[in-house]
């Protein structure tokens, strides 16, 4: 959708996004931790962000995009 493209282009990640959309927005994660609640870890120079997935879609996000 146009809304999803706008979110990805602005480096946004939100609930319901697919793993592919998250990678388009933030790139490949630094670390992936498996389990029922899969966790992607993004280590930025000044912070760390976490994206949690259930059934391949974002369940929750802690932190934001940073370099």
């Amino acid at each position: 959708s146009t809304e999803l493209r706008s979110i990805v282009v602005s480096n946004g990640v939100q609930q319901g996004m697919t793993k592919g959309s998250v990678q388009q927005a933030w790139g490949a994660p630094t670390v992936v931790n498996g389990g029922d609640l899969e966790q992607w870890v993004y280590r930025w120079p000044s912070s760390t962000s976490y994206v949690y997935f259930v059934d391949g879609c974002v369940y929750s996000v802690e932190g934001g995009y940073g370099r």
Side-chain angles (χ1 to χ4, degrees):
S1 73
T2 302
E3 180 182 352
L4 176 59
R5 281 193 295 275
S6 297
I7 293 166
V8 168
V9 167
S10 65
N11 300 115
V13 171
Q14 68 179 21
Q15 189 173 12
M17 290 176 80
T18 64
K19 292 178 181 181
S21 294
V22 173
Q23 284 196 312
Q24 287 178 333
W26 285 7
T30 309
V31 176
V32 174
N33 297 310
D36 291 337
L37 188 63
E38 184 174 331
Q39 178 193 60
W40 285 14
V41 180
Y42 287 87
R43 291 200 174 97
W44 313 110
S46 60
S47 64
T48 302
S49 300
Y50 304 90
V51 182
Y52 299 92
F53 294 89
V54 172
D55 296 328
C57 293
V58 174
Y59 174 75
S60 68
V61 181
E62 294 177 13
Y65 181 77
R67 291 189 182 273

